[in-house]
């Protein structure tokens, strides 16, 4: 079952014997929040395997940590481990209930497999349960596939409580996954205000580089890459974006210099 065996499940979560690790003076306490924060940092840097491990450790310490359960599911979705995500969902619901975010992620699991009737049902339920920034982001991604007004949903998402730069990063991720040129333009519409407001967030610059590559704008992609590199230290996904830039640059040079 691959990664699924490493996740914390309802039958075992909360019953794991925990041993406090030796801690030097001044070191942070490695509680559930510590691992959740570390996992979030990895997640938005696209370091998904590391994020998955962190969310799992947070759940192992606090089985009621709803954000960590959602984080595990989101990692599996991003890794396109859809079967594992579906298997895992029942355990998450049993532990933390069907929150708007968890329902939204169930919608996203279905949507990225092309099961749109099921995705719309979960998305409707997510919004009826109170909605959230994530629920609106997922709704917007669904609207991308049906060529409806995704921008309205994304605008709603950015206006709701939450960490705004993260919301904008998730919007860009959804637009990139949809693999539509017009969606790449929409991603920029929401990334650029975020970059202006949060210039320290290399995570947004990395996504901008991906979008510019999708739009074949190599000059802007390189500028975004350089900005991201100055802000994100030792980020393997950023190196992968740079490799894609080099490959694409080589392709255009070969095309026009035959």
């Amino acid at each position: 079952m691959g990664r699924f065996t490493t996740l914390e499940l309802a039958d075992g979560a909360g019953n794991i014997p925990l041993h406090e690790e030796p801690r030097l003076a001044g070191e942070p306490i490695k509680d559930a929040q510590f691992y959740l924060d570390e996992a979030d940092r990895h997640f938005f840097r696209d370091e998904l395997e590391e994020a998955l491990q962190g969310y799992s450790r947070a759940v192992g310490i606090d089985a009621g940590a709803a954000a960590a359960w959602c984080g595990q599911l989101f990692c599996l979705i991003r890794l396109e481990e859809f079967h594992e995500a579906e298997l895992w969902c029942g355990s998450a619901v049993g532990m933390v209930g069907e929150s708007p975010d968890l329902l939204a992620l169930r919608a996203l699991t279905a949507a990225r497999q092309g099961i749109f009737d099921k995705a719309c049902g979960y998305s409707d339920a997510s919004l009826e349960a109170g909605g959230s920034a994530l629920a609106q982001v997922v709704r917007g991604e669904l609207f991308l596939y049906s060529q409806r007004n995704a921008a309205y949903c994304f605008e709603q998402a950015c206006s709701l409580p939450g960490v705004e730069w993260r919301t904008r990063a998730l919007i860009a991720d959804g637009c990139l996954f949809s693999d539509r040129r017009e969606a790449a333009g929409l991603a920029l519409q929401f990334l650029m205000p975020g970059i202006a407001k949060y210039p320290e967030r290399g995570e947004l610059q990395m996504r901008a580089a991906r979008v510019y590559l999708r739009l074949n704008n190599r000059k802007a992609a390189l500028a975004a890459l350089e900005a991201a590199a100055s802000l994100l230290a030792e980020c393997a996904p950023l190196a992968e974006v740079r490799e894609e830039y080099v490959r694409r640059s080589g392709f255009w040079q070969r095309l026009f210099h035959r």
Side-chain angles (χ1 to χ4, degrees):
M1 297 176 65
R3 295 183 186 89
F4 191 57
T5 58
T6 71
L7 302 183
E8 301 297 347
L9 302 178
D11 292 340
N15 297 317
I16 300 171
L18 300 176
H19 303 283
E20 186 173 347
E21 298 176 5
R23 185 166 58 92
L24 298 175
E27 281 190 334
I29 298 172
K30 294 186 177 180
D31 57 6
Q33 188 62 50
F34 172 86
Y35 288 111
L36 179 59
D37 291 343
E38 281 290 291
D40 283 344
R41 184 177 70 86
H42 286 301
F43 181 86
F44 286 96
R45 288 165 56 111
D46 281 352
E47 297 164 340
L48 299 176
E49 297 284 0
E50 294 87 346
L52 187 59
Q53 293 171 12
Y55 290 128
S56 182
R57 294 197 73 172
V59 167
I61 295 170
D62 179 5
W69 286 100
C70 287
Q72 288 185 111
L73 177 54
F74 215 157
C75 285
L76 290 173
I77 294 169
R78 292 282 306 280
L79 291 163
E80 300 187 29
E81 299 281 2
F82 300 122
H83 178 65
E84 291 184 357
E86 289 173 347
L87 288 172
W88 171 89
C89 251
S91 295
V93 170
M95 293 302 297
V96 299
E98 286 194 319
S99 66
D101 280 355
L102 186 52
L103 286 164
L105 289 171
R106 298 188 85 169
L108 191 61
T109 304
R112 293 196 175 182
Q113 296 177 88
I115 312 171
F116 295 114
D117 288 346
K118 185 176 179 180
C120 288
Y122 279 126
S123 178
D124 288 346
S126 175
L127 295 173
E128 290 167 5
S132 64
L134 178 59
Q136 289 289 353
V137 170
V138 172
R139 188 70 156 194
E141 185 171 330
L142 290 177
F143 277 15
L144 284 176
Y145 302 133
S146 58
Q147 297 185 332
R148 298 173 66 185
N149 189 5
Y152 172 78
C153 299
F154 295 154
E155 287 165 0
Q156 290 291 106
C158 291
S159 71
L160 290 172
V163 182
E164 184 187 345
W165 75 263
R166 291 181 175 179
T167 298
R168 292 181 182 274
L170 295 179
I171 289 168
D173 291 339
C175 289
L176 286 166
F177 184 86
S178 74
D179 201 25
R180 298 167 184 260
R181 185 176 177 83
E182 61 272 22
L186 187 58
L188 281 182
Q189 179 182 323
F190 286 90
L191 277 174
M192 299 317 292
I195 289 171
K197 188 174 181 180
Y198 305 97
E200 76 282 5
R201 300 307 337 177
E203 297 92 338
L204 296 179
Q205 293 282 9
M206 180 169 65
R207 286 164 172 82
R210 286 197 177 108
V211 172
Y212 283 126
L213 285 173
R214 187 70 53 85
L215 295 170
N216 293 322
N217 187 336
R218 290 180 295 146
K219 182 177 179 180
L222 180 58
L225 269 170
E226 291 175 343
S230 71
L231 295 164
L232 300 177
E234 299 180 1
C235 180
L238 181 58
E240 293 167 5
V241 180
R242 185 175 292 279
E243 288 172 6
E244 182 181 353
Y245 169 81
V246 171
R247 286 196 302 271
R248 285 175 177 263
S249 297
F251 168 77
W252 290 111
Q253 288 175 356
R254 291 193 301 273
L255 183 65
F256 290 110
H257 294 85
R258 288 179 175 175

